Amino acid sequence: MIKISNLSKKFKNGDSDIIALHDVSITISTGDFVSVTGRSGSGKSTLLYQLGLLDHPSSGQIIIDDVDVNKLSSNERTVFRLEKLGYVFQDYAILPTLSALENVMLPILMQGKTRTYAIEKAKNSLIKVGLSDRMNNMPSQLSGGQQQRVSIARAIAHDPKILFADEPTANLDSETSEQIIKTFLNLNSEGQTIVMVTHELEFALRTKRIITLADGEIIKDVINQ
Amino acid sequence: MIQNFKRKIASFKISMHVGSFLAVRDIKNSNKWTTILIVFVMTLTFLNLVVVSGILVGLIEGSSVANKKYYAGDIIISPYPNEGYIRESQDIIKKVEKLPGFKGYTARYGTGGRITSNYRETLNPNQVTNTTASFIVGINPDRENSLTTISDKLIEGSFITSSDVDSVVLGSDLLFKYSPIDSPSQQTLKNVGIGSKILIEMNGNKKEFIIKGILKTKVNDVDLRVFMNETIFRKLSGRSDLNVYEIVAIFNPGTDISITKSFLIDQGVDQRAVIKTFEEAEPKFLQDIKDTFGMLGNIIGSIGLVVASITIFIVIFVNAITRRRYIGILKGIGISVTAIQISYIIQALFYAFLGVFFGSILVFFILKPFLLANPINFPFSDGILVATIGGTLTRSLILFMATIFAGYIPSLIVVRQNTLDAILGR
């Protein structure tokens, strides 16, 4: 499903280059639940940005669902993100002027679906993440955990092939974090492919595969039994 | 190719749908006071577009209206140059009365004359006298007043009646008090007012009159005249005929005045006198100023439009730039750039629409009726506000087009930024 070959990402810092990712190659299969771990600055979020088509790599190839995504134009990348990918941001990234339901409806509407269908689908997604009683609340009326669940519902509402999550529990207390991880495990058990960046080992251990990065390179790639 | 086009249309439709969805939510959840302020600015911008040019045009329109109302009526018939009166005037009046839509007429006798005020104090013939040349008009006061309502414009005293034989009404421009000009080409009477005695001389005959009223219509052709009873005029000018100097007629609303004029031409009236519609009777300088002010109005309107565009640009740009992250998230979750731009254009159009709506209510229901009832007292006209539905619609359309442009550019600038940088606030 995802094939990354010799992926590198460099940032300019004055006259010198900072290497965030160096020659990374991974293959992720359908139905996988991969956690990417590592210390701060190890390049795990950078890797996710490349996979989520939010950033362009300096070199290397990313093939998702048989498409070489580096060759896509800016508009094609947006359409690809909409059709194939779901993205859960670390700080939720909920749109403050839309209610929970409207936040989730938005990508579905963008797919050209009817309003009725979008409402129905968004409701189902919110129910799936345990927010059936908060659908019409504005983001400011929701707790951090609830906002993160809205973010997950929005990411899965349009049936993406792959769900990316960038440290989804980083800003949450342990109880709420547990709920979020359970939500991801449930989604994965239903067949959803998930790539999650986390620095919390206890959560990583509950995923099917753990990739550990250090200084932009893969130092460990372990399949959990 | 057709399929590609169809796909683009379908994609645009979706973007329209999502763009309007976002715009409505953004407007609904925006700060109410900010929205009120933006709409207030847009209303002022619209007023700047419509009212400033409307007042400029209205300034001259006031002159035109006054010229028509107090002097020329719908049609004015006057003698050819070098002729002192309209030949066979009474026959022409009969023809005028039979014209379709005829409502009323007034006929004025007239000739050049001289007015002197200090003739009683000047024993020495070489002493400079207080005198001025003027156009003396003989009228039927009741008929004149019912047609032109000229007595409404009295600023002092009262109007002459049919029984006044020793009284006259003076136009204000003949008096230094109201028109402080004292040049060789135009002299004015000093220290003269209601009750003052003046000597009027015409066709070699002189008679003493008392000033009964002073009127100010802001129409040059009226304010430089002396009005007296027609019977006295005829006696003083030594005229025994009934040939008048001017015939002024008004017609019922809806009457086509140019067709009416052509009826008179068909009957040969133009062989004996000059026939002019009220527009043709306007002094050339008035028409020139009208054109000039129209151009000025357009220039000021264009500046207003640029100001409006910049205002909208700033509003949308500030709105978009302060929401870089919001736009980044939208792009990050797969919302098309077109949908985001449409949402900003709709918001800009919403502000413009409300500005036009409230501005139109102010113009058509408050300012226009108010200024019609209370014209602005400009020195040479009573200024009204000229704002036609057609002209306002055109300006609104131009404003909407400028709004689309001014809403599109800032959203384009912000939307083009790197998605990840926008989300991470870098």
Side-chain angles (χ1 to χ4, degrees):
Chain A
M1 172 161 278
I2 303 176
K3 192 176 178 206
I4 305 163
S5 310
N6 310 109
L7 190 72
S8 292
K9 177 71 184 176
K10 292 174 189 171
F11 294 107
K12 280 268 177 209
N13 185 14
D15 292 337
S16 58
D17 283 341
I18 294 173
I19 299 169
L21 289 175
H22 180 64
D23 221 14
V24 173
S25 298
I26 324 165
T27 303
I28 296 168
S29 312
T30 305
D32 234 343
F33 188 174
V34 179
S35 56
V36 182
T37 63
R39 290 181 177 180
S40 291
S42 60
K44 50 189 190 298
S45 286
T46 306
L47 175 64
L48 207 69
Y49 297 149
Q50 317 305 311
L51 296 178
L53 310 196
L54 294 173
D55 202 4
H56 292 269
S58 305
S59 64
Q61 193 181 43
I62 303 171
I63 293 176
I64 301 174
D65 216 23
D66 298 327
V67 177
D68 186 347
V69 295
N70 288 347
K71 289 182 179 166
L72 299 177
S73 69
S74 178
N75 283 343
E76 285 168 338
R77 286 164 78 87
T78 305
V79 173
F80 191 86
R81 263 201 304 271
L82 180 71
E83 287 176 354
K84 312 265 175 157
L85 313 179
Y87 206 102
V88 179
F89 296 89
Q90 183 177 334
D91 55 357
Y92 332 132
I94 298 293
L95 300 167
T97 54
L98 306 185
S99 69
L101 184 72
E102 288 165 344
N103 260 286
V104 182
M105 278 169 69
L106 202 54
I108 309 167
L109 288 174
M110 196 63 230
Q111 283 183 324
K113 301 288 191 291
T114 64
R115 193 182 164 81
T116 319
Y117 177 85
I119 291 172
E120 205 52 43
K121 199 88 169 95
K123 278 181 177 173
N124 288 339
S125 294
L126 285 164
I127 291 166
K128 207 180 260 186
V129 298
L131 277 181
S132 54
D133 55 340
R134 290 281 188 271
M135 289 186 186
N136 295 314
N137 285 45
M138 296 303 285
S140 58
Q141 298 167 315
L142 299 173
S143 68
Q146 287 167 334
Q147 287 190 49
Q148 191 58 292
R149 277 188 277 168
V150 173
S151 175
I152 296 168
R154 183 179 64 190
I156 61 168
H158 58 292
D159 301 322
K161 295 236 166 168
I162 310 152
L163 177 63
F164 296 105
D166 184 10
E167 305 217 31
T169 57
N171 299 327
L172 304 174
D173 59 47
S174 55
E175 194 183 328
T176 315
S177 297
E178 180 59 31
Q179 289 170 0
I180 297 295
I181 291 301
K182 276 184 180 164
T183 306
F184 280 118
L185 289 168
N186 284 339
L187 289 170
N188 181 244
S189 67
E190 289 167 11
Q192 178 70 61
T193 309
I194 302 172
V195 179
M196 176 179 76
V197 164
T198 181
H199 62 271
E200 291 171 89
L201 192 60
E202 58 172 307
F203 295 141
L205 288 169
R206 292 159 75 178
T207 62
K208 289 179 180 170
R209 182 178 168 192
I210 307 170
I211 296 171
T212 309
L213 291 178
D215 299 326
E217 292 184 41
I218 296 174
I219 55 163
K220 214 188 283 178
D221 188 348
V222 182
I223 308 287
N224 272 336
Q225 295 305 313
Chain B
M1 191 175 158
I2 293 170
Q3 214 153 19
N4 195 23
F5 179 72
K6 277 184 180 174
R7 204 179 304 132
K8 277 188 176 170
I9 294 285
S11 164
F12 184 76
K13 272 185 182 174
I14 294 168
S15 294
M16 274 295 287
H17 186 205
V18 174
S20 53
F21 178 87
L22 285 170
V24 169
R25 267 85 191 159
D26 277 354
I27 291 165
K28 260 170 69 178
N29 293 297
S30 63
N31 182 296
K32 300 282 176 287
W33 290 108
T34 309
T35 305
I36 289 169
L37 186 68
I38 295 169
V39 171
F40 180 66
V41 170
M42 288 309 297
T43 305
L44 290 182
T45 306
F46 175 77
L47 290 179
N48 186 34
L49 261 179
V50 174
V51 175
V52 174
S53 57
I55 291 281
L56 272 178
V57 176
L59 183 75
I60 299 305
E61 188 64 22
S63 272
S64 280
V65 168
N67 198 64
K68 182 182 176 188
K69 189 173 179 185
Y70 302 120
Y71 171 65
D74 288 323
I75 278 186
I76 181 164
I77 302 167
S78 51
Y80 276 109
N82 305 322
E83 290 190 21
Y85 50 81
I86 303 166
R87 283 179 284 124
E88 299 168 48
S89 299
Q90 299 308 313
D91 177 53
I92 293 175
I93 289 170
K94 279 177 193 156
K95 286 185 165 67
V96 167
E97 283 176 312
K98 286 176 187 165
L99 287 170
F102 172 79
K103 196 175 173 188
Y105 85 93
T106 183
R108 300 168 190 146
Y109 293 89
T111 188
R114 177 156 288 278
I115 324 165
T116 310
S117 71
N118 63 343
Y119 53 95
R120 283 177 183 269
E121 297 119 47
T122 54
L123 297 172
N124 180 354
N126 293 326
Q127 193 179 335
V128 177
T129 51
N130 194 13
T131 183
T132 183
S134 175
F135 194 76
I136 319 292
V137 177
I139 54 167
N140 175 330
D142 298 333
R143 184 180 286 281
E144 178 72 32
N145 210 19
S146 67
L147 191 99
T148 60
T149 63
I150 203 168
S151 65
D152 292 350
K153 303 309 283 183
L154 281 166
I155 48 173
E156 277 188 61
S158 55
F159 203 65
I160 49 170
T161 63
S162 305
S163 56
D164 280 326
V165 290
D166 296 321
S167 304
V168 288
V169 168
L170 260 61
S172 61
D173 285 350
L174 293 169
L175 306 179
F176 187 81
K177 185 178 170 184
Y178 294 107
S179 184
I181 300 166
D182 205 1
S183 69
S185 61
Q186 191 188 341
Q187 289 176 317
T188 48
L189 299 177
K190 298 181 186 76
N191 304 316
V192 169
I194 298 297
S196 300
K197 288 184 175 172
I198 53 169
L199 191 69
I200 294 179
E201 183 184 349
M202 55 179 175
N203 294 349
N205 302 319
K206 292 179 185 175
K207 180 172 164 46
E208 188 180 71
F209 288 92
I210 295 167
I211 300 173
K212 191 178 182 185
I214 297 162
L215 55 85
K216 184 173 185 171
T217 60
K218 297 182 182 174
V219 177
N220 241 14
D221 282 320
V222 177
D223 292 350
L224 281 169
R225 287 183 169 188
V226 176
F227 293 87
M228 65 173 67
N229 241 308
E230 59 185 6
T231 47
I232 306 304
F233 178 92
R234 292 176 64 227
K235 197 182 282 179
L236 188 61
S237 63
R239 295 261 304 272
S240 55
D241 60 276
L242 291 171
N243 286 329
V244 295
Y245 183 79
E246 282 169 353
I247 301 165
V248 171
I250 58 170
F251 296 85
N252 289 322
T255 308
D256 189 324
I257 302 304
S258 52
I259 292 175
T260 307
K261 180 186 167 182
S262 66
F263 283 147
L264 288 171
I265 293 170
D266 291 347
Q267 294 176 74
V269 173
D270 63 324
Q271 303 294 316
R272 287 173 275 168
V274 179
I275 312 162
K276 285 180 177 173
T277 64
F278 67 91
E279 280 165 331
E280 293 163 344
E282 277 178 359
K284 190 178 179 303
F285 83 92
L286 203 62
Q287 288 177 346
D288 288 345
I289 294 179
K290 214 181 216 178
D291 293 342
T292 308
F293 276 32
M295 281 165 63
L296 268 176
N298 285 338
I299 291 167
I300 291 172
S302 306
I303 294 168
L305 195 66
V306 173
V307 171
S309 305
I310 292 171
T311 306
I312 298 162
F313 181 92
I314 292 169
V315 165
I316 297 299
F317 189 68
V318 168
N319 191 7
I321 206 81
T322 53
R323 298 173 76 192
R324 268 183 77 219
R325 185 163 188 269
Y326 175 90
I327 291 170
I329 294 166
L330 285 173
K331 284 169 71 183
I333 62 169
I335 306 305
S336 72
V337 165
T338 312
I340 299 167
Q341 286 171 334
I342 286 171
S343 86
Y344 278 98
I345 290 170
I346 289 173
Q347 286 179 67
L349 281 173
F350 169 78
Y351 295 131
F353 173 79
L354 283 188
V356 167
F357 177 74
F358 289 120
S360 299
I361 287 178
L362 271 173
V363 167
F364 288 105
F365 293 98
I366 297 170
L367 286 174
K368 201 176 167 184
F370 178 78
L371 288 176
L372 201 61
N374 308 283
I376 304 170
N377 188 15
F378 291 117
F380 69 93
S381 80
D382 289 336
I384 55 170
L385 174 62
V386 175
T388 59
I389 300 280
T392 307
L393 271 177
T394 308
R395 282 185 161 77
S396 304
L397 273 178
I398 294 169
L399 183 65
F400 284 134
M401 278 158 67
T403 301
I404 291 172
F405 189 69
Y408 173 73
I409 299 295
S411 64
L412 182 73
I413 294 169
V414 177
V415 157
R416 273 186 173 173
Q417 293 181 48
N418 180 285
T419 306
L420 188 62
D421 287 347
I423 293 171
L424 299 178
R426 295 197 293 218

